[in-house]
């Protein structure tokens, strides 16, 4: 008898849970609790049970009746709260295939825009060029270490009697004299391109990207170089960033500078909660090299240094993209690996 | 190049009230870059170790005294007191006159100095001296060798010590002959070439590789009693070549290849004698030998005040310019607007033109004091034909269709590129020895990297390098590899790209060796698409040609009357190209405005036909006429209608 009662309860509750409408529930109610309902019937059957068991069975029966009624009420309430036009708007969508632009492209786009705003024309010059454009015209003396086979890739070809070896450009600066040959001042150029150097480790890939800025006009001074670098830094990295110039030495500029930008991690303070910032050098990060165009470089481009002055800068694309996004790529080679698990993150 | 020096050592040559970090910050803005200031404890006393980056043109700063000199000029600009302490040497007492016989090729060495010193034994250096060397990254060996390194760090001129008795009778400084060899202190043998500078002992035996390393057969050893303390100013180009070729990058070599001021030799000489007398109880056994034939002549550079202000972009007082230059050791004469400037001997090498002088003034004045302003001149009005925007548009369209952009190395192995590709003369390795002529191998490799992914589309826009007799043609290519799609879907990507870019193209089926048989289309003059033998889809197009084939956007009037649409299925004969069928059927009647393939099963092809008239709505009768005309045309080219 007890077992029969428990089965009856399970059966009733299951039906209540599966019910699709209030009508269903009404039918279930009659089926169990109506005048001829299954549970109602048991109340009459109980009289046939021996007296000593009757009382405890009565208690059980009443508690089952109560549970079934409660389940019914709950379910009816829920159904009346949930109208028929109910719809789960939060259901996950069917994924649509959308690809990704490479991080380098994203950075180059942004750099191009920032300089286009202030009148710079983007140009494209050879990635395989003569030594003359990459070094000699840029005031490098013969035997300069940068021209060593140690640092710069050269092509296995006979050198040109006038222009020297055929090389893979180790910087975008070969565009400087080429631009001077293409147009007369005023010049405002950005040259963003692939470069190659004989280095390969976690933080160097033999192929990388640089952007070069060149401005030549009458009366161009260090003040304008600072203005242009600040324009870039604040538009690309954020208006709260500050830059500074430090003395440095490059063959093709005089004076030459190293450009630093305030660290975003410690906000230029060099310290985080009293501890040395691990990312920067006392609040500053190196951004790239810059300088006033060397008079010999202007002459190589047939521009009279007595009349025109200019400035130039060269900055690594991979460097700024990692500095900006705060993406800590442990190995630069990942950028060029075609690994979709990496590419799809950006 | 970086040098490490202790604050206490620096302050032996500089008196200042600037604290270590203040000193470092100030100098970094106007001179050498102080990359680190570390608090250290030496013999229980607190000291600071500076790590300083000195640019290669400033060999004069690669020493304690050089840094002190700079600091004495820069610190006052930041409001600190700073003064250089002068070198004071007692004239040594000479107790004998042992000969120093030397034959020098003057083209190789502008100055040579030497002195013979007698000692009782080879001792260890005092602790403080060891500490300073070790802090600067130099190993302590024994007192004589340590003194040479100590003086080099302090003064900035390399020095060598020989065992005097091993270099007799006559030293000769000359270039090496092919086949000659030297043996280093570490017993390593080096083969020499004809541009290497060597010293032989007059018997043809090489006893030194001056300016780079000492050799086993002449160096001070434990029984040495007489030392030849020796300095030479060598030709920097020779030194660099030898040092790089042999891979010996000693501090001396690094200094020498940058060109050391020969006037420093004197200071290094007397400082060395001082230290030998004081710590090794040395007796001076010869006159100080000095051969200084080619004295570098000072150069007078004229700089106008206007020019200085033009480059700096601010106005400066003339007295300020003069005081900066004088503090740096320059001699200055001002007449009206022009300064006549001569640099100190230790700057002869890097001060050459008026811009160099401007740099000196600008950096000491302080770049941080200059304002920051954009150019006021006219924006150049240049029209430059370029494909940057076109490339960007193509990239974004492909990304919108689910493609992932990759960047791959243009340097590939020989096996990854076709014959005649440009070869790198000095590659890093075999896998990057050639410049690619096509992006295909790189993209296939990229696809293989992702072999666990079922379907993808990778693309790249990059140059390929096609050899010519001069510079290679750098041709900007768009190429991609697609995996896990049907042929029609993959080709559909290309067609969508062309359609959005408004490129009119003519696809024709032409086989070549790279693609699977019957699975390649050639896009006339632009590139190709097809299925590779490894089952990837691959396409490549020339960016410039795509751009040239762009057509301007065109407006087509929107029809006033609706079209009638129906699907018709045709049975195709064998070997029938669908496109030619579509082309033929489209031309049946002007009122049949489009014929599109919607489905295909075996050799049954279903087309969706749009009937439309510009003047009125077509009725069923009219449509039937057109349908019959279309079917007639279809039958004429061998098609039959499926019932």
């Amino acid at each position: 008898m007890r077992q029969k009662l428990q089965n009856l309860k399970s059966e009733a509750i299951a039906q209540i849970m599966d019910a699709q409408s209030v009508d269903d529930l009404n039918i279930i109610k009659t089926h169990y609790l109506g005048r001829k309902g299954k549970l109602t019937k048991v109340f009459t059957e109980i009289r046939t049970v021996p007296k000593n068991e009757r009382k405890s069975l009565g208690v059980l029966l009443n508690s089952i009746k109560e549970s079934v009624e409660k389940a019914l009420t709950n379910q009816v309430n829920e159904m009346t709260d949930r109208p028929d036009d109910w719809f789960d708007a939060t259901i996950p969508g069917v994924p649509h295939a959308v690809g990704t632009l490479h991080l380098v492209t994203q950075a180059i786009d942004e750099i191009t825009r920032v300089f286009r705003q202030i009148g710079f024309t983007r140009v494209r010059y050879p990635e395989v060029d003569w030594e003359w454009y990459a070094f000699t015209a840029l005031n490098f003396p013969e035997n300069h270490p940068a021209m060593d086979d140690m640092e710069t890739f050269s092509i296995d070809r006979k050198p040109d009697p006038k222009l020297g070896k055929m090389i893979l450009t180790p910087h975008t600066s070969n565009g400087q004299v080429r631009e001077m040959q293409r147009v007369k001042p005023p010049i405002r150029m950005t040259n963003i391109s692939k470069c190659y150097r004989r280095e390969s480790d976690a933080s160097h890939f033999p192929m990388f990207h640089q952007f070069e800025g060149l401005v030549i006009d009458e009366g161009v001074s260090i003040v304008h170089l600072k203005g242009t670098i600040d324009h870039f830094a604040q538009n690309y990295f954020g208006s709260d960033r500050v830059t500074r110039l430090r003395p440095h030495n490059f063959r093709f500029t005089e004076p030459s500078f190293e450009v630093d930008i305030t660290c975003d991690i410690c906000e230029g303070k060099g310290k985080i909660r009293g501890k040395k910032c691990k990312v920067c050098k006392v609040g500053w990060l190196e951004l790239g090299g810059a300088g006033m165009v060397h008079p010999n470089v202007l002459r190589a481009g047939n521009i009279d240094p007595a009349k025109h002055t200019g400035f130039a800068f060269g900055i690594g694309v991979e460097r700024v993209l990692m500095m900006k996004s705060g993406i800590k790529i442990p190995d630069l080679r990942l950028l060029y690996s075609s690994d979709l698990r990496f590419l799809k993150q950006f | 190049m970086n040098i490490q020096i202790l604050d206490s050592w620096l302050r032996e040559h500089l008196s200042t009230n600037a604290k270590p970090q203040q000193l470092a910050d100030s100098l970094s803005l106007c001179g050498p870059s102080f990359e680190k200031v570390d608090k250290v404890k030496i013999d229980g006393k607190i000291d600071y170790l500076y790590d300083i980056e000195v640019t290669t043109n400033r060999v004069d700063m690669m020493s304690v005294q050089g840094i002190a000199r700079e600091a004495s000029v820069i610190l006052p600009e930041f409001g600190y007191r700073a003064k250089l302490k002068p070198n004071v040497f007692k004239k040594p007492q000479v107790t004998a006159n042992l000969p120093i016989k030397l034959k020098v090729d003057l083209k190789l060495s502008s100055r040579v100095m030497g002195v013979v010193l007698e000692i009782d034994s080879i001792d260890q250096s005092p602790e403080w001296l060891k500490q300073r060397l070790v802090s600067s990254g130099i190993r302590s060996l024994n007192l004589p060798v340590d003194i040479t390194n100590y003086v080099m760090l302090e003064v900035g001129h390399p020095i060598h010590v020989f065992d005097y008795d091993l270099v007799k009778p006559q030293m000769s400084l000359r270039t090496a002959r092919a086949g000659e060899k030297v043996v280093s202190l570490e017993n390593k043998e080096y083969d020499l070439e004809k541009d290497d500078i060597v010293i032989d002992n007059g018997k043809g035996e090489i006893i030194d590789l001056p300016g780079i390393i000492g050799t086993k057969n002449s160096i001070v050893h434990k029984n040495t009693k007489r030392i030849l303390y020796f300095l030479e100013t060598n030709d920097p180009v020779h030194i660099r070549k030898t040092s790089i070729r042999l891979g010996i990058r000693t501090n001396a070599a690094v200094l020498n290849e940058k060109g050391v001021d020969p006037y420093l030799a004197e200071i290094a000489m007397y400082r060395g004698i001082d230290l030998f007398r004081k710590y090794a109880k040395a007796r001076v056994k010869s006159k100080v030998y000095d051969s200084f034939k080619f004295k570098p002549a000072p150069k007078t550079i004229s700089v106008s005040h206007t020019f200085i202000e033009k480059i700096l972009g601010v106005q400066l007082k003339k007295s300020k310019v003069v005081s900066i230059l004088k503090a740096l050791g320059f001699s200055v004469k001002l007449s009206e607007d022009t300064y006549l400037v001569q640099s100190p001997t230790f700057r002869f090498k890097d001060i050459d033109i008026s811009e160099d002088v401007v740099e000196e003034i600008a950096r000491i004045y302080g770049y941080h004091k200059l304002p920051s302003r954009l150019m006021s001149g006219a924006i150049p009005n240049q029209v430059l034909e370029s494909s940057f925007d076109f490339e960007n548009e193509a990239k974004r369209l492909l990304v919108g269709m689910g493609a992932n952009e990759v960047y791959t190395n243009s340097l590939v192995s020989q096996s990854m590129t076709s014959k005649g590709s440009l070869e790198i003369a000095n590659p890093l390795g075999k896998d990057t020895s050639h410049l690619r002529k096509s992006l295909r191998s790189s993209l296939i490799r990229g696809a293989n990297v992702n072999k666990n992914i079922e379907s993808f589309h990778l693309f790249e826009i990059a140059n390929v390098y096609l050899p010519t007799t001069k510079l290679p043609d750098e041709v900007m290519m768009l190429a991609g590899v697609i995996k896990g799609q049907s042929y029609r879907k993959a080709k559909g990507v290309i067609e969508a790209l062309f359609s959005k870019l408004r490129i009119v193209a003519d696809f024709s089926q032409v086989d070549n060796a790279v693609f699977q048989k019957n699975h390649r289309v050639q896009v006339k003059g632009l590139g190709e698409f097809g299925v590779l033998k490894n089952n990837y889809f691959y396409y490549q197009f020339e960016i410039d040609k795509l751009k040239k084939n762009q057509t301007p956007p065109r407006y087509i009037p929107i029809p006033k009357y609706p079209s009638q649409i129906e699907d018709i299925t045709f049975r195709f004969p064998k070997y029938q190209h669908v496109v030619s069928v579509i082309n033929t059927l489209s031309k049946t009647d002007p009122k049949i405005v489009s014929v599109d393939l919607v489905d295909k099963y075996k050799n049954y092809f279903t087309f969706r036909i749009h009937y439309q008239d510009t003047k009125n709505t077509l009725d069923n009768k009219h449509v039937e006429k057109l349908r019959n005309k279309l079917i007639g045309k279809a039958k004429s080219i061998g098609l039959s209608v499926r019932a």
Side-chain angles (χ1 to χ4, degrees), chain A residues 117-182:
Chain A
Q117 252 176 29
I118 49 172
F120 281 67
T121 305
R122 185 174 170 197
V123 296
R124 180 172 273 156
Y125 286 118
E127 292 164 13
V128 179
D129 208 344
W130 301 111
E131 206 173 24
W132 191 83
Y133 284 103
F135 293 115
T136 319
L138 298 177
N139 194 40
F140 280 75
E142 242 183 283
N143 298 318
H144 190 277
M147 297 157 85
D148 276 355
D149 281 351
M150 298 282 294
E151 293 186 20
T152 300
F153 288 114
S154 56
I155 305 287
D156 193 15
R157 279 289 176 100
K158 244 196 200 157
D160 182 275
K162 278 184 198 150
L163 301 169
K165 279 196 282 193
M166 196 188 284
I167 55 147
L168 288 185
T169 51
H171 46 219
T172 39
S173 307
N174 65 316
Q176 291 190 12
V177 171
R178 284 196 174 272
E179 180 73 351
M180 295 179 212
Q181 291 178 339
R182 186 181 73 86

Side-chain angles (χ1 to χ4, degrees), chain A residues 96-102 104-105 108-109 116 118-130 143 145 148-150 152-157 166 168 178-179 182-184 186-188 194 196-200 205-207 209 215 217 219-228 230-231 244-249 254-258 276 281-282 286 292 294-295 305-307 309 311 335-341 343-344, chain B residues 21 25 28-31 33 35 37-38 53 55-57 237 240-241 244 307 309-314 353 355-356 358-359 362-363 367-380 382-384 386-389 391-392 395-396 399-411 422-428 432 435-436 442 446-447 449-450 453 456 458-463 465 467-472 474 476:
Chain A
H96 192 281
V98 180
T100 48
L101 279 179
H102 195 271
V104 170
T105 296
I108 289 176
D109 278 3
R116 197 182 262 189
I118 49 172
F120 281 67
T121 305
R122 185 174 170 197
V123 296
R124 180 172 273 156
Y125 286 118
E127 292 164 13
V128 179
D129 208 344
W130 301 111
N143 298 318
D148 276 355
D149 281 351
M150 298 282 294
T152 300
F153 288 114
S154 56
I155 305 287
D156 193 15
R157 279 289 176 100
M166 196 188 284
L168 288 185
R178 284 196 174 272
E179 180 73 351
R182 186 181 73 86
V183 285
K184 293 261 159 293
I187 290 173
R188 290 188 200 183
K194 284 189 164 69
Y196 301 85
R197 280 186 201 169
R198 291 190 80 245
E199 297 174 293
S200 186
F205 194 73
M207 180 186 85
H209 299 79
V215 171
D217 202 349
V220 171
S221 73
I222 302 174
V223 169
H224 300 128
L225 168 58
K226 283 185 81 168
T228 303
D230 280 340
H231 171 84
R244 70 172 185 186
L245 303 180
R246 276 186 298 109
H248 205 73
N249 174 48
E254 191 70 53
S256 303
F257 320 102
E258 210 153 53
K276 247 188 204 173
K281 283 181 202 159
V282 256
E286 272 179 39
M292 301 303 291
H294 195 286
K307 193 172 172 210
T309 49
F311 65 80
L335 269 179
Y336 305 107
S337 68
S338 305
D339 191 330
L340 280 163
R341 293 168 304 175
L343 297 170
K344 282 186 171 174
Chain B
Q21 191 63 54
D25 290 348
S28 291
L29 280 177
C30 301
S33 176
E35 302 201 326
V37 183
D38 284 332
E53 189 197 358
T55 54
T56 53
N57 59 326
V237 175
R240 174 164 176 85
K241 273 193 181 156
I244 295 274
F307 182 66
E309 291 187 336
K310 190 166 124 185
I311 299 287
L312 264 67
V314 292
I353 56 173
E355 280 79 358
D356 294 323
V358 173
E359 174 169 39
R363 72 183 177 92
Y367 298 135
H368 55 288
K369 288 185 200 156
L370 299 177
S372 160
R373 214 166 38 229
L374 281 172
M375 290 70 76
S376 50
I379 288 179
Q382 302 174 356
V383 183
L384 179 65
S386 72
S387 59
F388 297 116
D389 291 341
E391 288 161 32
N392 249 324
K395 283 181 183 185
R396 279 164 208 280
V399 167
M401 291 189 273
N404 297 96
E405 189 191 9
V406 298
Y407 275 62
T408 58
N409 197 349
S410 345
L411 293 169
L422 288 174
E423 192 176 349
I424 306 299
N426 53 341
L428 275 175
T432 50
L435 269 176
R436 61 187 172 188
S442 309
V449 166
N450 298 293
I453 299 176
F456 55 74
L458 305 177
F459 76 97
E460 178 167 17
I461 294 186
N463 272 333
Y465 308 84
T468 71
T469 52
K470 295 222 166 113
L471 289 179
E474 296 182 15
M476 195 54 77

Side-chain angles (χ1 to χ4, degrees), chain B residues 601-636:
Chain B
Y601 175 73
K602 289 185 178 166
N603 54 340
Y604 292 98
F605 290 77
T606 305
F607 296 95
R608 183 152 299 162
I609 321 288
H610 282 237
Y611 306 97
Q612 194 166 38
D613 193 358
T614 49
K615 293 188 190 78
N616 52 46
T617 308
L618 292 171
D619 57 19
N620 284 346
K621 232 169 118 186
H622 218 120
V623 169
E624 199 185 329
K625 235 190 210 170
L626 289 167
R627 181 190 306 127
N628 287 339
K629 202 170 169 190
L630 182 88
I631 290 171
K633 189 86 174 244
K635 282 183 176 160
S636 76

Side-chain angles (χ1 to χ4, degrees), chain B residues 275-493:
Chain B
L275 290 170
F276 266 102
R277 291 180 64 205
K278 199 161 167 188
Y279 296 100
K281 302 196 175 55
R283 281 82 63 190
V284 180
K285 288 291 174 190
S286 76
K287 284 189 201 152
V288 171
Y289 174 93
D290 187 3
S291 148
F292 194 7
K293 294 283 165 8
F294 288 118
K295 291 192 178 138
K299 192 175 165 189
T300 304
I301 301 163
S302 94
V303 193
S304 78
H305 191 75
T306 319
F307 182 66
I308 296 169
E309 291 187 336
K310 190 166 124 185
I311 299 287
L312 264 67
V314 292
Q315 294 194 328
L316 277 183
K317 280 194 180 132
K318 285 181 181 161
S319 58
K320 183 69 193 167
V321 174
V322 171
S323 79
I324 288 174
L325 288 173
K326 283 199 167 153
L328 286 168
F330 288 75
S331 74
V332 194
K333 269 187 215 148
L334 174 63
S335 66
E336 291 183 17
D337 189 53
T338 303
Y339 305 91
L340 294 173
V341 180
Q342 278 187 357
S343 70
T345 59
F346 51 85
R347 300 296 301 277
F348 278 5
K349 278 244 150 71
D350 82 300
I351 303 290
D352 201 32
I353 56 173
S354 49
E355 280 79 358
D356 294 323
V357 179
V358 173
E359 174 169 39
E360 294 305 299
I361 296 157
R363 72 183 177 92
I364 301 297
Y365 174 78
Y367 298 135
H368 55 288
K369 288 185 200 156
L370 299 177
S372 160
R373 214 166 38 229
L374 281 172
M375 290 70 76
S376 50
I379 288 179
N381 182 18
Q382 302 174 356
V383 183
L384 179 65
E385 186 69 21
S386 72
S387 59
F388 297 116
D389 291 341
F390 178 81
E391 288 161 32
N392 249 324
E393 201 184 343
K395 283 181 183 185
R396 279 164 208 280
L397 285 169
L398 287 167
V399 167
M401 291 189 273
N404 297 96
E405 189 191 9
V406 298
Y407 275 62
T408 58
N409 197 349
S410 345
L411 293 169
V412 295
S413 65
Q414 183 162 25
S415 63
M416 273 178 75
T417 188
S418 50
K419 255 196 176 167
S421 297
L422 288 174
E423 192 176 349
I424 306 299
N426 53 341
L428 275 175
K430 276 189 177 164
D431 53 338
T432 50
S433 59
H434 286 71
L435 269 176
R436 61 187 172 188
K437 275 165 76 179
S438 152
L439 305 182
R440 197 179 69 238
S441 305
S442 309
L443 282 164
I444 291 173
R445 188 155 74 175
N448 289 339
V449 166
N450 298 293
K451 60 176 181 291
N452 292 328
I453 299 176
E454 244 172 66
S455 102
F456 55 74
H457 176 182
L458 305 177
F459 76 97
E460 178 167 17
I461 294 186
N463 272 333
V464 296
Y465 308 84
L466 310 179
T468 71
T469 52
K470 295 222 166 113
L471 289 179
D473 281 336
E474 296 182 15
V475 182
M476 195 54 77
M477 297 295 294
L478 160 65
V481 58
I482 299 173
K483 181 191 163 190
Q485 290 289 1
S486 69
Y487 181 88
R488 286 188 63 201
K489 281 203 167 158
K491 186 161 174 276
V493 171

Side-chain angles (χ1 to χ4, degrees), chain A residues 87-94:
Chain A
F87 175 76
D88 181 4
T90 63
I91 191 170
V94 176

